[in-house]
Amino acid sequence: MLATRKAPIYTMVYKPDDFKGTPLEHAEVHTSAIQHWPKGVSNYRTYLPFMPYQIEQFDLTAYDTVVSSSHAVAKGVLVGAGQLHVSYVHSPIRYAWDLYQQYLREANLTSGVKATLAKVALHYIRLWDHSTANRVDVFLANSEYVAKRIWRTYRRPARVLYPPVDVDRFDHTRPREDFYFTMSRFVPYKKIDLIVETFTRLGKPLIVIGAGPDFDKVKALAGPNVQLLGRQSDEMVADHMARCKAFVFAADEDFGIVPVEAQAAGAPVIAYGKGGSLETVVPDRTGVFFGQQSIESLSRAVELFESQAGQFDAATIRRHAEKFRPERFRAQFAAILEAAETAKKNGEDPEKAVLALHLEAL
């Protein structure tokens, strides 16, 4: 969940080392019982069927306002009638809803006893997830794409609040070099295998940063023109963003912060034209789109980009990314929270107050 006004944080699991040097390093953090279960921190996804119960064990009765930051179960916290609950939803549970069949296929859970147990567990989670929408006063979504999915899943409207992006980490003034770049966790839906196979066929230089379960699969597809650097530091990522010819992004993401980071570094983006990318990449000004997650479609987009490469200006691309600054996020979030709290105090509908709030458009 999200910390506001130096409030305590309640979360399923917490790994302090991951937050050293951040504003959360000295936060008051309360964890669920999963924190103390075998491999609860390192392999918490294994305990997904227990998370709905665990999120309901947090005692939040001392707080007037509860803010949940949810991609799975956080929005299901128990709150009283007198409390305000604002839920910033990054996605309804994807593996229980949109990616249900894909998740089962990729986990090899299409038949057998384990598959049946997984399907029953996800069925229960869908029922629980849908019912807990009534525990939320105000839904916020991290993109229009997610807002539409919130409506489809819960039949509730959501106010869009784009996530903050630390644009100051990136330098857009450095000369561009002759290589394409991508970075991601190596998991199936990120489609790093598609990018690597496409560039291997094209014979164009590609540098890839990232690690994950699919690393060996991707490595087997990589030709001599593709460099797989594995996991690297934030500084190394920013360096490649600043020098690459273009950043390549093939995932169907809810928002997708990395393409915005690339634009903060002045890099044009070659992106799959679905999901959050449609809201963060401007065609012919900050990048180009490809319409299908296929080698042919991505290849055509690379060719289109190279035919238009001279029209992309790093300063223009950077100015677009500036719209996602943390300062903007904080100001908009504060305005949303104030409107919701005022409406709650006055006995009015917080959801209507937030939806009616005028915020500067991107």
Side-chain angles (χ1 to χ4, degrees):
M1 283 174 253
L2 192 66
T4 62
R5 304 171 187 171
K6 297 185 178 179
I9 299 171
Y10 292 77
T11 182
M12 286 287 100
V13 296
Y14 176 60
K15 189 176 181 182
D17 289 348
D18 289 349
F19 296 94
K20 285 185 176 179
T22 75
L24 298 182
E25 182 176 3
H26 303 294
E28 177 187 340
V29 178
H30 303 262
T31 62
S32 73
I34 295 174
Q35 177 85 13
H36 308 290
W37 292 358
K39 296 184 178 180
V41 176
S42 62
N43 200 20
Y44 60 89
R45 292 180 181 85
T46 303
Y47 297 112
L48 174 65
F50 301 94
M51 289 183 184
Y53 172 80
Q54 289 296 330
I55 201 71
E56 293 176 350
Q57 302 316 300
F58 290 133
D59 181 1
L60 306 178
T61 54
Y63 309 106
D64 296 323
T65 299
V66 174
V67 178
S68 60
S69 178
S70 184
H71 76 281
V73 300
K75 84 172 200 329
V77 291
L78 295 176
V79 293
Q83 294 175 288
L84 172 69
H85 180 191
V86 177
S87 187
Y88 190 25
V89 174
H90 307 286
S91 172
I93 308 175
R94 297 196 77 174
Y95 36 85
W97 294 103
D98 297 66
L99 299 183
Y100 173 66
Q101 298 295 344
Q102 180 179 331
Y103 165 76
L104 293 174
R105 287 194 301 270
E106 291 171 352
N108 196 25
L109 293 171
T110 56
S111 62
V113 175
K114 286 185 178 180
T116 300
L117 292 174
K119 292 173 183 178
V120 169
L122 290 172
H123 173 72
Y124 155 70
I125 286 173
R126 276 194 297 275
L127 294 176
W128 176 86
D129 186 44
H130 187 271
S131 70
T132 58
N134 292 324
R135 302 176 188 178
V136 177
D137 293 293
V138 177
F139 275 103
L140 305 178
N142 68 7
S143 67
E144 295 286 355
Y145 185 51
V146 170
K148 292 176 182 177
R149 292 175 54 218
I150 289 172
W151 175 258
R152 185 177 67 243
T153 305
Y154 310 130
R155 284 298 185 262
R156 290 283 300 278
R159 182 67 189 253
V160 175
L161 176 65
Y162 289 117
V165 180
D166 186 6
V167 298
D168 289 336
R169 281 204 308 122
F170 302 94
D171 181 4
H172 71 284
T173 63
R174 296 173 64 183
R176 296 284 142 195
E177 298 180 19
D178 187 26
F179 68 90
Y180 291 87
F181 177 56
T182 192
M183 68 151 291
S184 174
R185 178 167 165 74
F186 283 39
V187 291
Y189 87 93
K190 296 289 189 178
K191 299 296 181 182
I192 299 300
D193 55 340
L194 167 64
I195 297 174
V196 167
E197 188 170 5
T198 299
F199 276 83
T200 295
R201 292 194 185 187
L202 292 174
K204 297 183 183 296
L206 173 71
I207 294 177
V208 184
I209 286 179
D214 279 2
F215 187 87
D216 289 340
K217 173 186 174 182
V218 172
K219 185 177 180 181
L221 298 171
N225 58 302
V226 177
Q227 297 182 53
L228 302 179
L229 303 185
R231 192 186 307 276
Q232 297 293 331
S233 66
D234 290 346
E235 291 75 19
M236 181 70 80
V237 171
D239 174 68
H240 284 79
M241 293 283 202
R243 295 186 293 112
C244 68
K245 178 186 290 188
F247 182 80
V248 187
F249 188 74
D252 175 2
E253 282 282 17
D254 303 312
F255 173 73
I257 283 180
V258 178
V260 180
E261 292 179 331
Q263 291 171 87
V269 177
I270 302 172
Y272 176 45
K274 188 176 180 181
S277 296
L278 292 174
E279 300 172 52
T280 61
V281 179
V282 183
D284 302 325
R285 186 154 66 94
T286 72
V288 299
F289 291 119
F290 55 100
Q292 296 179 324
Q293 291 173 315
S294 68
I295 293 173
E296 294 74 18
S297 186
L298 176 53
S299 297
R300 288 194 297 270
V302 173
E303 293 170 2
L304 174 62
F305 167 75
E306 295 198 340
S307 71
Q308 299 177 346
Q311 74 183 44
F312 293 105
D313 174 65
T316 299
I317 296 172
R318 167 68 179 222
R319 280 195 298 272
H320 174 66
E322 294 272 353
K323 298 176 181 179
F324 298 91
R325 276 187 164 278
E327 296 86 350
R328 183 191 187 97
F329 171 85
R330 286 194 289 267
Q332 292 191 343
F333 181 77
I336 288 169
L337 201 58
E338 181 179 3
E341 289 178 330
T342 300
K344 186 78 172 181
K345 181 179 179 181
N346 294 337
E348 300 168 352
D349 186 348
E351 182 175 87
K352 289 183 179 178
V354 169
L355 293 174
L357 185 64
H358 174 72
L359 295 175
E360 182 185 355
L362 284 179

